[in-house]
């Protein structure tokens, strides 16, 4: 059951979107997000949707895969929409008891839904086309200037990539412990919230104990392989921008600036 | 032959705290491991095998005595990386020593740390994966591999440092018989073809049959040290140290006790069979 969690899942491929430098994609996503939050009119939203569809086509990511990412946040989207629908003051369209729907409410609700949906799918498109390693490499390289401000950029990137490496291992282990506890009569699925939370204790305790042991052993193994921080470290894969990266960057920058200025 | 690793009166104690006394894990160990040799270390649980291994590459520093790697004192901080590069270490749990989520990235980890130029890292990664027979898995995710394959990746990760010596601390203990055979074949191949010194810590007596030398640890001391034939001939002493002898030796001893005139030092299955055949001819 835990296996279906898609946490920044990567679909290997060789499309243009896959071959772009991860830094390009990260900057493009930032531009896209900036664009989304500056959209006001319908044509601007339309343009953002078109951009997303075009990018997804290029990346050969199907609508199904793209929308699947929305499942865990469906509740948040619905909640924000409802909140905005009933609590925005303005011209009343419909009213019953304490509930009133306003014209502005409808508009903000739709806008918020569109924003969150685009935000999530846009980010998922990034993780679908970029391997976790490329992603951390890209982040590390983009954030490199912050080293001057004593931000531990390399350490953060290393932590992130190790976390990504251990997610499947820990999920597998959780599944195993769950089965073992179920075999002893543990019940994770029924009862109230408190009861369910309590049922998790025999799951979490062994999981934590094992995670700490893993961390300890991993640290030793890393030391044995000459790990000594980011200083003087080289890379198997060196990032470099190609012509396609400049083209994509220009397009996305134009999109963000265009929307800020014109809308 | 020259010496690869040398310990002089080495002792080590894990520091205690309020509740626990300090644990003496090594107590006056003096050893020399020859370059290019295949050494198996045996000993019951807690006899200090892992601790000994960790002092070889300065993960643990001696509380007393000295450890030298190719003449370099492991206590010298400036030589730390060079010492660790020369002594590659593979541990028991394959999941807890794989760092990256692509095989090639994991093998590249050590050379990246050592600041090897990019083109040479590529070369080393390809060579190391070939040496362990995992070239086809270059771009795979390690967590989807079998235990034996994961351990071969871990060995490749160490090989990419171009080490002089590989220390395997119960590296086959969590594997099924097929995985264990895979890993042992790789190790024996490396020893034969690349002349790598191998220190194999194990609980499986059978893994000692092809070794040049067997060291038996007990309570932080070296209890026995010799060729496999010499060590396994002392079956009663081994039993007193909580160890058994390989199945072959056990069988021959049993036969001998029942009046059959066989030698008791045949280690491999073939040798053992020959010895028994000889009696009947
Ligand atoms: N981190 C530690 N802190 C305190 N004591 C330890 C630690 N690691 C090992 N010891 C103790 O040191 C002694 C030697 O342990 P070591 O792990 O070297 O034995 P071993 O021969 O490798 O055993 P095994 O066959 O179980 O792996 C044992 O008594 C053990 O309890
Ligand atoms: Mg041990």
């Amino acid at each position: 059951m835990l296996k279906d969690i898609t946490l920044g899942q990567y679909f290997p491929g060789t499309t243009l979107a896959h071959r772009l430098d991860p830094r390009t994609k990260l900057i493009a996503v930032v531009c896209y997000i900036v664009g989304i939050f500056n959209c006001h009119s319908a044509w601007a939203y339309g343009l953002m949707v078109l951009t997303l569809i075009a990018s997804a086509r290029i990346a050969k990511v199907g609508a199904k895969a793209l929308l699947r990412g929305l499942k865990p946040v469906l509740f948040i989207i619905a909640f924000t929409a409802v909140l905005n629908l009933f609590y925005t003051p303005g011209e009343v369209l419909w009213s019953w008891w304490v509930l009133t729907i306003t014209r502005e409410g409808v508009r903000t609700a739709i806008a918020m839904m569109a924003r969150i949906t685009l935000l999530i799918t846009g980010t998922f498109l990034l993780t679908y086309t970029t391997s976790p390693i490329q992603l951390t490499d890209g982040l590390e390289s983009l954030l490199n200037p912050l080293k001057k401000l004593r931000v531990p950029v390399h350490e953060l990137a290393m932590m992130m990539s190790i976390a990504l490496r251990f997610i499947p291992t820990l999920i597998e282990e959780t599944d195993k412990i769950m089965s073992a506890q179920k075999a002893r009569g543990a019940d994770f699925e029924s009862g109230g919230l408190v009861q369910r939370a309590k049922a998790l204790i025999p799951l979490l305790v062994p999981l934590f104990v094992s995670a700490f042991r893993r961390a300890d052993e991993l640290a030793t193994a890393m030391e044995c392989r000459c790990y000594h921080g980011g200083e003087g470290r080289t890379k198997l894969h060196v990032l470099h921008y190609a012509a396609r990266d400049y083209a994509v960057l220009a397009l996305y920058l134009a999109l963000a600036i265009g929307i800020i200025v014109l809308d | 032959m020259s010496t690869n690793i040398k310990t002089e009166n080495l002792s080590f104690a894990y520091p205690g705290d309020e509740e626990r006394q300090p644990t003496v894990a090594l107590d006056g160990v003096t050893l020399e491991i020859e370059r290019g040799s295949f050494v198996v270390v045996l000993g019951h649980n807690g006899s200090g095998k892992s601790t000994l291994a960790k002092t070889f590459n300065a993960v643990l520093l001696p509380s007393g005595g000295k450890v030298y790697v190719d003449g370099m004192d492991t206590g010298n901080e400036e030589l730390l990386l060079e010492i660790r590069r020369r002594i590659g270490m593979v541990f028991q749990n394959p999941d807890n020593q794989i760092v990256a989520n692509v095989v090639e990235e994991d093998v590249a980890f050590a050379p990246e740390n050592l600041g090897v130029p990019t083109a040479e890292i590529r070369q080393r990664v390809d060579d190391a994966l070939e040496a362990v027979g995992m070239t086809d898995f270059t771009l795979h995710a390690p967590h989807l591999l079998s235990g034996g394959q994961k351990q071969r990746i871990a060995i490749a990760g160490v090989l990419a440092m171009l080490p002089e010596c590989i220390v395997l601390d119960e590296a086959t203990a969590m594997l099924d018989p097929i995985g264990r055979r895979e890993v042992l074949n790789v190790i024996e191949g490396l020893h034969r073809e690349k002349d790598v010194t191998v220190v194999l810590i194990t609980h499986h007596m059978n893994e000692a049959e092809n070794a040049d030398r067997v060291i038996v640890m007990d309570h932080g001391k070296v209890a026995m040290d010799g060729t496999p034939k010499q060590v396994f001939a002392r079956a009663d002493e081994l039993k007193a140290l909580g160890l058994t002898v390989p199945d072959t030796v056990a069988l021959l001893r049993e036969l001998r006790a029942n009046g059959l005139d066989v030698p008791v030092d045949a280690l491999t299955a073939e040798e053992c069979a020959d010895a028994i055949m000889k009696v009947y001819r």
Side-chain angles (χ1 to χ4, degrees), chain A residues 165 214 225 233-234 236-237, chain B residues 95-96 104 106 113 116:
Chain A
R165 145 77 183 87
R214 279 182 197 284
R225 283 160 78 186
R233 219 167 172 263
T234 47
L236 172 62
H237 295 294
Chain B
D95 279 321
N96 299 351
E104 64 168 9
D106 188 71
N113 291 333
V116 173

Side-chain angles (χ1 to χ4, degrees), chain B residues 14 20 23 25 43-52 169-170 203:
Chain B
Y14 288 99
R20 277 188 309 174
T23 322
H44 60 81
N45 294 107
S47 56
K49 305 179 298 289
S50 298
T51 310
L52 179 67
D169 188 356
E170 294 184 40
H203 279 293

Side-chain angles (χ1 to χ4, degrees), chain A residues 36-47:
Chain A
I36 290 171
F37 282 98
N38 285 288
C39 279
H40 300 291
S41 62
W43 72 261
Y45 278 109
L47 186 64

Side-chain angles (χ1 to χ4, degrees), chain A residues 91-107:
Chain A
E91 184 191 333
V92 178
L93 288 180
W94 178 84
S95 159
W96 175 75
W97 191 38
V98 293
L99 303 174
T100 29
I101 295 180
T102 62
R103 180 179 294 282
E104 286 75 9
V106 173
R107 189 177 283 172

Side-chain angles (χ1 to χ4, degrees), chain A residues 158-204:
Chain A
M158 182 58 81
M159 272 159 60
M160 189 171 143
S161 72
I162 290 177
L164 286 166
R165 145 77 183 87
F166 275 90
I167 285 172
T169 311
L170 290 179
I171 288 181
E172 211 171 283
E173 182 154 38
T174 313
D175 257 351
K176 252 189 228 156
I177 299 175
M178 255 181 162
S179 312
Q181 304 288 35
K182 270 187 200 157
R184 296 193 182 102
D187 180 4
F188 295 107
E189 264 114 41
S190 58
L193 202 62
V194 178
Q195 216 168 352
R196 279 205 202 184
K198 265 192 190 155
L200 283 181
I201 294 175
L203 175 69
L204 291 179

Side-chain angles (χ1 to χ4, degrees), chain A residues 41-255:
Chain A
S41 62
W43 72 261
Y45 278 109
L47 186 64
M48 298 312 279
V49 173
L50 276 181
T51 313
L52 185 74
I53 293 175
S55 309
R57 289 304 288 266
I58 292 173
K60 296 211 176 113
V61 174
K64 226 174 164 186
L66 211 51
L67 293 177
R68 203 176 50 206
L70 285 175
K71 227 159 98 194
V73 287
L74 226 49
F75 173 73
I76 299 177
I77 296 181
F79 188 71
T80 336
V82 169
L83 223 58
N84 277 296
L85 193 63
F86 292 114
Y87 291 96
T88 316
E91 184 191 333
V92 178
L93 288 180
W94 178 84
S95 159
W96 175 75
W97 191 38
V98 293
L99 303 174
T100 29
I101 295 180
T102 62
R103 180 179 294 282
E104 286 75 9
V106 173
R107 189 177 283 172
T108 9
I110 294 177
M112 283 315 283
M113 270 164 67
R115 277 185 184 175
I116 301 179
T117 308
L118 288 174
L119 186 85
I120 304 280
T121 40
T123 323
F124 264 81
L125 197 55
L126 171 74
T127 58
Y128 280 156
T129 57
T130 319
S131 75
I133 291 246
Q134 282 183 312
L135 216 53
T136 34
D137 275 1
L139 270 176
E140 184 176 0
S141 158
L142 281 177
L143 298 179
N144 220 7
L146 294 182
K147 268 187 193 160
K148 293 218 176 66
L149 301 174
R150 304 239 179 130
V151 179
V153 178
H154 164 77
E155 286 74 7
L156 288 173
M158 182 58 81
M159 272 159 60
M160 189 171 143
S161 72
I162 290 177
L164 286 166
R165 145 77 183 87
F166 275 90
I167 285 172
T169 311
L170 290 179
I171 288 181
E172 211 171 283
E173 182 154 38
T174 313
D175 257 351
K176 252 189 228 156
I177 299 175
M178 255 181 162
S179 312
Q181 304 288 35
K182 270 187 200 157
R184 296 193 182 102
D187 180 4
F188 295 107
E189 264 114 41
S190 58
L193 202 62
V194 178
Q195 216 168 352
R196 279 205 202 184
K198 265 192 190 155
L200 283 181
I201 294 175
L203 175 69
L204 291 179
V205 171
L207 195 63
F208 267 84
V209 170
S210 129
F212 276 108
R213 206 197 50 235
R214 279 182 197 284
D216 191 34
E217 285 182 19
L218 184 72
T220 309
M222 285 169 72
E223 269 184 36
C224 288
R225 283 160 78 186
C226 301
Y227 182 69
H228 57 118
E231 212 179 308
R233 219 167 172 263
T234 47
K235 288 267 176 188
L236 172 62
H237 295 294
V238 183
L239 298 176
H240 55 87
Y241 291 114
R244 54 174 179 265
D245 291 298
Y246 295 113
V248 169
L249 278 178
L251 273 174
Y252 271 90
L253 275 175
L255 178 76

Side-chain angles (χ1 to χ4, degrees), chain B residues 6-266:
Chain B
K6 185 168 154 185
T7 70
E8 276 173 5
N9 202 17
L10 163 68
S11 34
F12 183 87
Y14 288 99
D17 48 35
E18 288 102 52
E19 293 137 48
R20 277 188 309 174
Q21 292 288 312
T23 322
V24 178
L26 294 174
D27 183 9
V29 175
T30 301
L31 278 176
E32 283 188 26
I33 291 175
E34 301 294 325
R35 190 182 303 278
S37 59
F38 195 121
V39 180
V40 164
V41 181
L42 303 172
H44 60 81
N45 294 107
S47 56
K49 305 179 298 289
S50 298
T51 310
L52 179 67
K54 284 179 185 157
T55 60
F56 287 169
N57 70 344
V59 168
L60 297 176
L61 294 175
S63 327
K66 290 277 184 197
V67 178
Y68 298 97
V69 171
D70 295 337
M72 298 181 290
D73 183 348
T74 59
N76 185 343
E77 192 134 353
E78 278 161 34
L79 299 172
L80 189 68
L81 285 184
E82 184 54 23
I83 287 170
R84 291 201 177 145
R85 182 192 75 70
R86 288 184 191 217
I87 310 288
M89 195 82 74
V90 180
F91 296 97
Q92 182 172 15
N93 190 335
D95 279 321
N96 299 351
Q97 49 190 323
I98 290 175
V99 191
N101 42 18
V102 183
V103 164
E104 64 168 9
E105 295 276 354
D106 188 71
V107 179
F109 183 68
E112 286 180 339
N113 291 333
L114 290 164
V116 173
T118 298
E120 198 190 326
I121 298 181
R122 179 81 260 164
Q123 190 60 46
R124 286 194 189 190
V125 169
D126 293 345
D127 291 349
L129 283 173
E130 200 189 323
V132 299
M134 290 292 286
T135 307
D136 291 345
F137 297 86
T138 310
L139 293 175
H140 276 234
H143 70 96
L144 299 177
L145 302 176
S146 74
Q149 289 173 326
K150 283 185 202 168
Q151 279 306 48
R152 278 147 74 193
I153 296 302
I155 294 171
V158 159
L159 278 182
M161 303 195 287
L162 309 180
E164 307 284 323
C165 171
I166 299 185
V167 180
L168 300 109
D169 188 356
E170 294 184 40
T172 61
M174 292 179 72
L175 306 179
D176 56 20
I178 297 171
R180 183 178 309 145
R181 197 61 256 166
E182 271 172 38
V183 170
L184 287 174
N185 284 346
V186 164
I187 292 296
E188 283 162 9
L190 290 172
H191 174 65
R192 233 184 359 254
E193 280 143 37
K194 306 214 164 168
D195 246 1
V196 185
T197 312
V198 175
V199 177
L200 183 73
I201 299 173
T202 182
H203 279 293
H204 294 277
M205 300 301 146
N206 297 8
E207 292 175 12
E209 64 189 24
N210 293 320
D212 299 324
R213 176 177 172 197
V214 174
I215 295 171
V216 180
M217 298 286 298
D218 179 51
H219 287 97
K221 291 191 168 77
V222 176
M224 291 185 206
D225 185 352
T227 64
K229 281 190 201 302
Q230 289 167 350
V231 169
F232 292 125
R234 297 156 71 181
D236 296 324
E237 284 167 74
L238 281 171
K239 198 174 256 173
L241 296 176
L243 298 171
T244 55
V245 289
D247 299 336
T248 47
V249 177
L251 172 67
L252 292 171
R253 283 175 62 85
E254 197 75 13
L255 289 173
R256 201 178 169 83
N258 283 290
L260 208 61
D261 184 27
V262 287
V264 288
D265 61 353

